[in-house]
Amino acid sequence: PYPQVNPAWDSPEATTAIETTIEATRALRNLKAELNIPPGTRLQAAAVASRPEVADALTANALLIAELARLSDALGVSSTAPEGGKWVGKPITGAEILLEIGETVDLGKELERIEKELASITKEISRCEGKLGNPSFVERANPEVVALERQRLQDWREKQGQLEVRKTLFAKG
């Protein structure tokens, strides 16, 4: 019978990989928009992955991300930030996506953008901590919901740390 279901299509690993690909592409496109870089401008990009499964997903889909985000070449994936050039970044779950901007962006405006994003992340962290600090929520909610909220808190804290590092780099530049 048509359509036939392929069990590989329903794997959690495949779902996570495509979600990571979508998040990375969206981050690059949003960075261009936030920095007022025309969408068709092809720039170099890189990803600094903090989780091996994220690095694998980004590496496997580097050419797809490059095409969808209109990059000059395939997304480079590593565990350390690239050297040289002027890079701006946006944290995603398990990695930071970096875009080489050269002379196309005002560093002052980029620092303002980072400050706004940090304020937003701080609110999300407070919201998560408030939920998890409420004994009624922790006791009454499904264990899956509590675990999901703990994971969200961890992800927000990771993104906050990545932005703090980026802010420090821009403040020096």
Side-chain angles (χ1 to χ4, degrees):
Y2 179 82
Q4 297 195 3
V5 176
N6 182 337
W9 297 342
D10 196 26
S11 80
E13 294 82 16
T15 301
T16 301
I18 197 64
E19 287 172 351
T20 299
T21 301
I22 291 169
E23 191 176 5
T25 303
R26 185 174 290 135
L28 286 165
R29 294 173 82 166
N30 286 346
L31 265 175
K32 283 184 175 183
E34 290 167 7
L35 299 170
N36 295 320
I37 297 171
T41 304
R42 294 194 178 263
L43 300 172
Q44 186 178 3
V48 179
S50 57
R51 298 181 189 169
E53 66 275 10
V54 172
D56 293 344
L58 292 172
T59 301
N61 294 300
L63 290 173
L64 175 62
I65 294 168
E67 187 60 33
L68 294 173
R70 295 187 178 159
L71 302 177
S72 60
D73 51 14
L75 179 72
V77 181
S78 70
S79 59
T80 60
E83 304 227 352
K86 289 184 182 177
W87 296 84
V88 295
K90 192 163 197 78
I92 64 170
T93 305
E96 183 175 18
I97 301 299
L98 303 169
L99 188 64
E100 207 287 316
I101 56 168
E103 300 299 319
T104 59
V105 175
D106 179 356
L107 292 181
K109 287 184 180 180
E110 178 59 15
L111 278 170
E112 284 181 33
R113 185 191 70 76
I114 289 172
E115 286 293 341
K116 286 180 186 176
E117 194 165 350
L118 278 170
S120 173
I121 287 173
T122 301
K123 287 179 187 176
E124 289 297 328
I125 288 173
S126 295
R127 185 190 62 76
C128 289
E129 287 174 340
K131 275 186 170 181
L132 293 170
N134 180 350
S136 177
F137 171 76
V138 176
E139 292 169 7
R140 293 184 181 172
N142 289 338
E144 298 85 21
V145 173
V146 174
L148 179 64
E149 200 61 33
R150 285 188 175 124
Q151 182 61 47
R152 284 183 185 152
L153 179 60
Q154 180 182 345
D155 291 345
W156 284 120
R157 285 182 176 155
E158 182 180 321
K159 289 179 182 182
Q160 183 183 40
Q162 292 169 344
L163 279 175
E164 290 291 347
V165 168
R166 183 63 45 200
K167 178 181 164 185
T168 304
L169 290 175
F170 275 136
K172 292 177 185 176

